[in-house]
Amino acid sequence: MAGQDKKVIEKNSHGEYVLTAYGEFLSYFHTHIQLFGTLISAKKIPAKEQEALKAKLRSYISSNVQKTDHFFDQLPQFAQFLGMGSQELSSYMNRNFLGALNKIKTKLIEQESVAEQTPRKKKYSKISEEILEGLGFTFPAGHRFESEEGMIYLVEISTGKKREAAALGEVARETAAAGAAARPIPVPVRKGPETPILEEILKKYGELFSGKPLIMKVEELEEDDSPVQMGEDILSDVEDLHFDGDFGGDSPSFSEPPVSIPFSKYMDQVGKVRVFQKAGQLEEYKRWVASLPVEENALVQLQTSLLKESRGEVVEWDGTLGQLGTRTGLSESRLRKVLELGRDFFRIRNQLEASWNKARTASPAVAELVKKAWPHILRVMDEYPDFTQIKGKMDQLLSRIPDASQRKILTDLFLNPVLSIRRN
């Protein structure tokens, strides 16, 4: 975008307003800011921290995004800023981006077309140019002001002819017309430094003027028409689009995105918890849990309660989630999503571990095969809750086993039981 004009819209061959390349870029910018802002506003953090995070994201985009394609390249970094997984953010953007983008484009064209039809203020290099154009004349040569009995007169120096100062415009126009009709008469060079007319007026008649001095700020006199320069400030001064209410109607719903934690990572964390428990390393365990991303932290802490629930014990979930919310800062609605995922993972984990124990007793060959396939099986489960993907990847994994009988054993042990967990 470097060096391009800041023109946002232009007319096509049909006379309709369409976005320029810069306008397209701005529409992507505003769409990302809008969607990211919605995610940030849903976070249970103070308003000041929300605004700081929004400003940080905006600044990062300004510094690192050069064209529309770069937004997609930066998705992992955006996810890190937002405290969520790249896959989770990608899913959210896929659901909401196009609908939001269309709304943004419509609003952008609407606002810019109104601005296009509003006459732009002419730009002057000097304030004196604006004054002279507004007056329509210059002070006539060979004249001066004189005061007599409280009146100000315009005096023609060569003839002494006087006119009231109100006739200044008339005299100037007559002088200009006379100059155009006749050959210009050489004017004797005035000796000595010439006193500016405004200084001369104030010096002689300053006591006749009253009122407060008029002070103009630079930004009131000048209008920025400089070309776009890429860098940290390219979008820092781009104002957000102002919508009346939300996107409304059939626009995308900015609902809270689902919790996205890979199953293989969950299993890795379950293994670490067991190691800490076996070694009795309570303090080390606490430090490790505190270092986890907040939703993974909550999922780990829910395991004890989920284990009690699986044994048929009563768990007072409202109180449990309330205490966990205080420790993690997550909202109750978000914690319930973590709990829902935790229940599903708990069931899948129990099924896989039961299948693992059966495989160990099937035969040494099958046990060895399962040991080698175990990490791959866990990664297949990362596709949860997409059971179609789980089945496809599991079939692909098991197809690598040349022995048909062994392939059937693993299918019965790991694929069919997991597919039976599918919720209606």
Side-chain angles (χ1 to χ4, degrees):
M1 301 296 294
Q4 291 186 7
D5 189 8
K6 279 188 176 180
K7 190 172 180 64
V8 177
I9 60 174
E10 61 188 0
K11 284 189 176 181
N12 61 17
S13 58
H14 302 290
E16 301 168 331
Y17 281 114
V18 294
L19 294 173
T20 62
Y22 179 71
E24 287 284 346
F25 180 77
L26 276 188
S27 67
Y28 271 64
F29 170 79
H30 284 299
T31 302
H32 281 79
I33 291 297
Q34 185 81 28
L35 295 178
F36 292 164
T38 302
L39 290 174
I40 292 171
S41 297
K43 288 180 173 291
K44 191 178 180 181
I45 58 177
K48 183 177 289 187
E49 291 183 24
Q50 289 185 7
E51 293 306 312
L53 181 53
K54 291 176 184 179
K56 187 176 182 181
L57 265 166
R58 189 184 182 106
S59 176
Y60 181 83
I61 293 174
S62 301
S63 303
N64 296 277
V65 178
Q66 303 285 323
K67 54 184 181 178
T68 54
D69 290 347
H70 290 176
F71 284 103
F72 303 105
D73 298 337
Q74 294 291 336
L75 193 67
Q77 186 61 44
F78 294 148
Q80 185 174 338
F81 279 124
L82 294 167
M84 57 197 302
S86 297
Q87 186 177 357
E88 180 183 4
L89 179 59
S90 177
S91 176
Y92 171 78
M93 296 300 286
N94 287 340
R95 292 195 311 272
N96 297 300
F97 183 77
L98 288 179
L101 179 64
N102 289 333
K103 293 286 185 181
I104 292 287
K105 285 184 175 182
T106 300
K107 186 67 176 178
L108 196 55
I109 291 174
E110 176 187 321
Q111 289 188 178
E112 290 297 318
S113 61
V114 172
E116 277 283 313
Q117 296 167 26
T118 303
R120 292 187 66 185
K121 182 181 177 182
K122 184 174 179 180
K123 184 176 180 181
Y124 300 93
S125 59
K126 298 179 181 178
I127 187 63
S128 58
E129 291 180 3
E130 185 174 3
I131 293 173
L132 291 175
E133 183 167 321
L135 291 172
F137 59 84
T138 58
F139 189 81
H143 290 71
R144 71 183 179 198
F145 286 114
E146 287 187 5
S147 176
E148 184 179 317
E149 297 181 357
M151 295 290 292
I152 298 177
Y153 293 92
L154 186 66
V155 181
E156 189 174 354
I157 299 174
S158 61
T159 65
K161 182 180 179 180
K162 294 182 180 180
R163 295 191 187 187
E164 290 186 12
L168 176 59
E170 180 185 342
V171 173
R173 286 187 286 273
E174 289 178 358
T175 304
R183 292 175 62 87
I185 301 174
V187 179
V189 177
R190 187 172 182 178
K191 297 180 181 180
E194 184 175 353
T195 304
I197 184 63
L198 292 178
E199 184 179 326
E200 183 179 343
I201 292 172
L202 289 173
K203 183 177 180 181
K204 290 184 178 182
Y205 313 110
E207 71 278 1
L208 300 177
F209 297 95
S210 62
K212 297 180 180 179
L214 179 63
I215 302 174
M216 300 294 288
K217 298 179 181 179
V218 173
E219 55 267 29
E220 294 179 299
L221 300 177
E222 297 182 359
E223 191 171 337
D224 184 14
D225 287 328
S226 58
V228 178
Q229 296 295 328
M230 284 307 300
E232 292 193 12
D233 297 331
I234 180 176
L235 294 173
S236 59
D237 294 329
V238 175
E239 295 183 1
D240 291 330
L241 295 178
H242 301 294
F243 289 87
D244 296 326
D246 56 21
F247 283 91
D250 57 357
S251 58
S253 109
F254 296 107
S255 58
E256 193 174 49
V259 176
S260 179
I261 300 173
F263 180 78
S264 57
K265 179 178 285 190
Y266 159 79
M267 289 294 289
D268 180 58
Q269 290 167 352
V270 168
K272 287 183 178 180
V273 170
R274 287 170 173 167
V275 170
F276 285 124
Q277 288 177 334
K278 187 175 181 179
Q281 298 174 322
L282 180 58
E283 293 304 316
E284 289 81 352
Y285 164 76
K286 289 180 179 179
R287 285 196 294 271
W288 170 72
V289 171
S291 71
L292 295 175
V294 64
E295 291 181 350
E296 294 177 25
N297 177 316
L299 183 60
V300 168
Q301 293 191 61
L302 285 170
Q303 295 309 302
T304 300
S305 297
L306 286 170
L307 180 60
K308 290 180 180 179
E309 185 180 61
S310 71
R311 292 171 178 167
E313 298 179 29
V314 177
V315 178
E316 204 283 291
W317 284 114
D318 288 343
T320 299
L321 295 180
Q323 293 175 8
L324 190 54
T326 301
R327 292 196 296 269
T328 63
L330 289 172
S331 65
E332 182 181 347
S333 64
R334 197 66 183 163
L335 281 172
R336 289 196 178 278
K337 287 183 179 293
V338 175
L339 174 59
E340 182 183 352
L341 183 66
R343 282 195 176 113
D344 292 343
F345 278 1
F346 193 88
R347 293 164 64 203
I348 295 173
R349 185 187 100 198
N350 285 345
Q351 181 60 63
L352 291 178
E353 289 180 344
S355 296
W356 168 274
N357 291 329
K358 289 179 182 178
R360 291 172 61 187
T361 61
S363 71
V366 169
E368 184 62 26
L369 186 59
V370 170
K371 185 177 179 181
K372 291 179 180 178
W374 184 249
H376 303 287
I377 292 172
L378 297 185
R379 282 195 291 273
V380 167
M381 296 304 156
D382 286 346
E383 297 297 332
Y384 181 85
D386 190 336
F387 283 95
T388 301
Q389 286 288 335
I390 289 176
K391 184 178 186 309
K393 290 195 174 184
M394 188 66 83
D395 284 340
Q396 185 179 9
L397 175 64
L398 298 178
S399 68
R400 300 176 187 175
I401 302 174
D403 190 302
S405 61
Q406 292 180 344
R407 188 163 58 246
K408 185 178 186 309
I409 291 174
L410 265 67
T411 299
D412 292 340
L413 284 175
F414 294 102
L415 178 57
N416 295 337
V418 170
L419 293 180
S420 68
I421 295 176
R422 187 198 307 257
R423 291 177 295 176
N424 296 326

